[in-house]
Amino acid sequence: MKVSGLHHDAGGGVHLLPVPQGVSGVLLACASDVVGPAPDAVMAEFEVDTVVCLMESDEVDRRFPAYAAWLAAAGPDRAVHAPAPDHGVVADGVAAAVAADVVARLEAGMTVLLHCGGGYGRTGVVAVQAMVAFGMGFKDSLVAVRAARPACGPQSDAQDEQLRRLVGGTVAGVVCARRAGCPAVRAA
């Protein structure tokens, strides 16, 4: 569900992504064009505790040099820079750790703003992992995320395959560790 006004339309807006009832945090998604020019203003406007930037460093530097400096200076409570290639993936364990961090912040009642370049692919992969970690099925999570931010979710075969590996419980990641019957849980 879009929660931003016209002043953010050029970047696709800011969207409220679903979290299950009982989770006190708020999950938002947007494109870098929304947060990059004025991260502090966006954080204040949407009462964001932590920005999670999924863009690679050279991508941030090229588009928003001041934002790159802000990410480096903001500290881990305000900003998490977890770079992933556009339309690509990072190692499964890294992807799972990013999602686990988002889940922990949401469980702690924080407002988290996820973004990548366009706010769709890398952002959607993390959002779907988080929803599955909270107990929603993969397909339902993907439908819910895309209903909240149209086109949000895997944007390449690599992203789709990684997401299916992670939510399928084939690695000991955030999603797997929270699911009954997970091989990592059984082995523990």
Side-chain angles (χ1 to χ4, degrees):
M1 172 175 71
K2 188 172 173 186
V3 294
S4 61
L6 294 175
H7 61 294
H8 292 302
D9 275 355
V14 177
H15 292 80
L16 177 64
L17 300 181
V19 294
Q21 189 172 12
V23 175
S24 58
V26 174
L27 184 59
L28 301 170
C30 70
S32 61
D33 291 347
V34 171
V35 69
D40 288 317
V42 170
M43 289 184 80
E45 181 178 353
F46 296 99
E47 299 178 0
V48 171
D49 296 301
T50 305
V51 171
V52 178
C53 174
L54 302 168
M55 298 169 64
E56 291 185 296
S57 295
D58 66 327
E59 192 180 2
V60 176
D61 290 339
R62 184 175 58 252
R63 294 174 75 179
F64 302 104
Y67 182 48
W70 182 90
L71 283 169
D77 291 335
R78 295 194 68 205
V80 174
H81 188 201
D86 193 17
H87 296 277
V89 298
V90 294
D92 285 353
V94 173
V98 171
D101 182 67
V102 169
V103 167
R105 291 171 192 270
L106 294 172
E107 288 177 329
M110 298 175 77
T111 297
V112 177
L113 176 65
L114 287 174
H115 82 85
C116 53
Y120 299 109
R122 295 167 280 186
T123 297
V125 169
V126 173
V128 170
Q129 283 185 76
M131 296 307 93
V132 174
F134 286 125
M136 189 181 286
F138 168 68
K139 288 182 182 178
D140 290 340
S141 296
L142 186 56
V143 167
V145 167
R146 285 190 169 151
R149 183 166 172 85
C152 193
Q155 299 288 305
S156 69
D157 288 342
Q159 289 176 347
D160 185 64
E161 290 163 6
Q162 180 176 59
L163 190 54
R164 289 176 188 278
R165 282 193 310 273
L166 291 171
V167 301
T170 59
V171 297
V174 59
V175 173
C176 184
R178 291 175 172 267
R179 291 180 54 228
C182 170
V185 173
R186 285 195 305 263

